[in-house]
Amino acid sequence: MRPNYLAWYGTTRLFDPLSLIFRTNQDGLIIAHTYRYSRTHSTFLVECDPQTFLRAGLGGMSEAESIAYCERAFADDLQGHRLLSNRSNWFRYTIVSNRQWYHGKVVLLGDALRTGHPSVGSGTRLAMQDSIALFDAHRACGNDVPKMLEHFVQIRRPGSDALQQAAIRSTEWYENLGPKLALDPVSFAYDYLTRSGRVSHADVRERDPELAAAFEALHPEHLSRSVPSGRSE
């Protein structure tokens, strides 16, 4: 179980594309993960560390009081829109993993099999990818259930394990965010993009050449480390 606290809200304020909002108040740092999911609504996931949660007294608040607190914390960002709740109680994210993926004719999928983290991907997407892999295993092995399930594990586990490790690294980034807030905007954005270990400096160069160039200008020592031996740029 991870230390940070989260609450899932919605709002009619449209955030397109995905936005991360970092705000500080008298209680500490509070973060919003926001993204549009329909023509009229956005997800608004609020996260805070244990110290902020305790100082704010969020654990003793009702659902309505928590909403009011978060609306005040993100008033400038919500621009008059309200936060919408659906039993949006505070929770701590739990990392779940399983050594055994199936028993007899029962197979685990989605969050029952392994949890990711909201910052790296959707549990629904993982469940759909698991289902596709299970279908591919059936197509390869037919009605031989033990063989099919073993094949499912073989083709799905590498990607599943890699994503969960990335999710854990991403979770730790948010849990140790305090010192990073002093970084300049370019270094902060770069640190965020590379937080999970899945995005290399070469990936940043390809996806956002301007950010990569700005980071290299600020950190020329990183450029020399990122060039493989025997290669010059």
Side-chain angles (χ1 to χ4, degrees):
M1 182 172 287
R2 309 307 302 186
N4 280 10
Y5 287 84
L6 302 98
W8 286 96
Y9 298 114
T11 180
T12 52
R13 167 80 203 281
L14 298 181
F15 291 90
D16 192 13
L18 167 70
S19 301
L20 291 170
I21 305 169
F22 305 91
R23 297 291 179 222
T24 55
N25 60 19
Q26 70 278 5
D27 299 315
L29 174 65
I30 188 165
I31 308 164
H33 309 246
T34 68
Y35 53 90
R36 179 176 174 175
Y37 70 86
S38 75
R39 294 180 179 180
T40 57
H41 289 78
S42 297
T43 290
F44 201 94
L45 173 65
V46 179
E47 178 174 1
C48 66
D49 58 48
Q51 295 77 23
T52 301
F53 188 82
L54 181 63
R55 284 192 292 264
L58 287 164
M61 291 185 186
S62 67
E63 188 175 5
E65 290 170 334
S66 288
I67 290 175
Y69 179 90
C70 293
E71 286 178 340
R72 290 192 298 271
F74 297 103
D76 292 342
D77 312 290
L78 290 169
Q79 298 181 356
H81 292 260
R82 305 298 303 272
L83 289 180
L84 308 173
S85 179
N86 181 17
R87 299 185 65 185
S88 301
N89 299 317
W90 292 96
F91 69 97
R92 288 189 292 169
Y93 204 78
T94 302
I95 300 295
V96 173
S97 62
N98 287 276
R99 287 186 295 271
Q100 186 68 26
W101 286 26
Y102 61 88
H103 177 73
K105 295 184 177 182
V106 177
V107 60
L108 299 175
L109 303 175
D111 282 345
L113 176 58
R114 128 284 293 130
T115 53
H117 187 264
S119 63
V120 299
S122 163
T124 303
R125 183 189 62 156
L126 290 175
M128 293 176 68
Q129 291 172 335
D130 293 339
S131 299
I132 292 169
L134 186 61
F135 173 79
D136 289 342
H138 177 264
R139 187 165 54 183
C141 302
N143 293 327
D144 186 337
V145 173
K147 183 178 179 181
M148 176 188 72
L149 294 179
E150 185 58 32
H151 188 62
F152 164 68
V153 174
Q154 291 174 357
I155 62 177
R156 184 65 179 134
R157 186 186 288 276
S160 172
D161 288 351
L163 187 140
Q164 183 160 61
Q165 288 304 309
I168 292 172
R169 288 192 290 267
S170 181
T171 304
E172 292 170 344
W173 188 88
Y174 286 95
E175 294 166 359
N176 299 281
L177 189 55
K180 300 179 187 296
L181 295 177
L183 294 172
D184 62 90
V186 168
S187 299
F188 184 85
Y190 184 92
D191 194 70
Y192 170 76
L193 286 176
T194 57
R195 72 194 185 285
S196 70
R198 293 193 298 174
V199 177
S200 67
H201 186 69
D203 294 327
V204 177
R205 277 183 169 177
E206 180 179 352
R207 299 178 186 185
D208 194 336
E210 291 184 4
L211 175 61
F215 181 81
E216 290 167 4
L218 288 170
H219 303 278
E221 73 283 359
H222 182 89
L223 179 61
S224 62
R225 293 198 304 268
S226 65
V227 178
S229 177
R231 177 182 172 189
S232 61
E233 296 194 10

